[in-house]
Amino acid sequence: MNRAAAAIFLVVLCSACPKRIEFGPEGQLTDADVVYQHVRRNQDNVVTLEGDAKLRVESPQQSGTIGMFLAVTRPALLHLETFDFFNRPLASLVGDGTRFGLYQSEGNTFYQGPASPQNVSRFLPVVLPGEELVAIMLGQVPLIPAERKTLELDTKEGVYVLTLYRGAATQVLRVHPKYLRVVKSEVRGVPGYDLGFDDFLERGGLIFPGKVELVAKQAATRLELRYQQIKLNGRPDLTLYELTPPEGAKVVEVDEVGRELPAAGHESPAPPVPGS
């Protein structure tokens, strides 16, 4: 066999070899419940996040990338600010689990109303409840309440495959064998979306994904959130979640589906002039 043929043979041979898998300190796990409990603990230990990110949106309605500052605290505290290419503020959204407020710099308008999925998802082309949106931004996968679980080891991809079953619904979780964090979630049998997590970072003993991807196939929509400078589990700045319209902004009250209410629409009062 000449050298060229030998090289091709080695490439083909190595490509067929199983990926070397690095397991955690407990070694290879074979019990689905054990992996499930590890996954829950490891994704539930991040409670707050604050920092900068880039949001990439691909959908039939819009596509592009914007800069974002975000602060989220479980279960449903949410603060998002978006910026254009020149780092000029476009909009800011705040939710406290009960009420939401959205300020749009163009038009100097502040919308407020119930923190319904339609209202807290106004930045996105997909509709998610506030608690679910916060969880995903914290690197967590909403898990279906399983009646049964199975576990396999995918030696080709080098991941555990943990499958949750509930009635006609299944959720397939591909789990990192060392970090025991979900790298991909696929829900089938019920309306849902797929999640992907990558570029894991280690911050103070926490393993956290630097990239979060959401794919809603029915809506032909893909969202990709890439974190840049972030702080995890710090003391939350509660002033970021205050629902206060900017001075002089037009205030519009909306209902649960985002429709403007007839009686709404006034400007927030300006402060009194000293000596008047």
Side-chain angles (χ1 to χ4, degrees), residues 118-189:
Q118 290 83 355
N119 286 331
V120 299
S121 299
R122 281 175 171 242
F123 276 3
L124 308 173
V126 293
V127 176
L128 295 170
E131 289 190 16
E132 210 164 299
L133 181 57
V134 167
I136 292 170
M137 289 184 167
L138 289 174
Q140 300 164 6
V141 178
L143 301 171
I144 67 173
E147 299 168 334
R148 182 170 64 92
K149 311 177 190 76
T150 62
L151 179 69
E152 299 176 1
L153 179 65
D154 186 330
T155 55
K156 185 177 180 180
E157 291 191 24
V159 294
Y160 291 118
V161 181
L162 176 64
T163 306
L164 312 181
Y165 300 86
R166 183 173 182 84
T170 61
Q171 184 173 18
V172 179
L173 305 171
R174 286 172 171 77
V175 179
H176 195 290
K178 180 181 179 182
Y179 301 140
L180 296 174
R181 290 290 307 252
V182 174
V183 297
K184 191 170 185 181
S185 167
E186 298 173 315
V187 176
R188 299 292 182 266

Side-chain angles (χ1 to χ4, degrees), residues 12 30 40 46 70 100 111 156 162-163 168 231 247 273 275:
V12 173
T30 57
R40 291 199 60 173
V46 179
L70 68 163
F100 97 105
Y111 298 90
K156 185 177 180 180
L162 176 64
T163 306
K231 178 174 65 175
E247 178 186 321
V273 178

Side-chain angles (χ1 to χ4, degrees), residues 21-95:
I21 301 175
E22 184 179 359
F23 296 103
E26 299 178 45
Q28 182 178 346
L29 302 174
T30 57
D31 188 307
D33 281 316
V34 171
V35 174
Y36 176 80
Q37 293 302 329
H38 274 294
V39 165
R40 291 199 60 173
R41 282 196 300 270
N42 291 341
Q43 71 172 17
D44 287 350
N45 59 15
V46 179
V47 180
T48 68
L49 181 150
E50 183 179 322
D52 299 318
K54 291 288 187 181
L55 176 65
R56 171 72 184 170
V57 177
E58 297 176 8
S59 74
Q61 296 78 28
Q62 58 181 315
S63 293
T65 302
I66 56 174
M68 175 180 288
F69 169 81
L70 68 163
V72 291
T73 298
R74 287 196 338 216
L77 294 179
L78 182 69
H79 177 110
L80 305 177
E81 296 179 39
T82 57
F83 305 89
D84 66 12
F85 179 79
F86 300 101
N87 208 35
R88 294 174 299 202
L90 295 173
S92 60
L93 183 144
V94 178

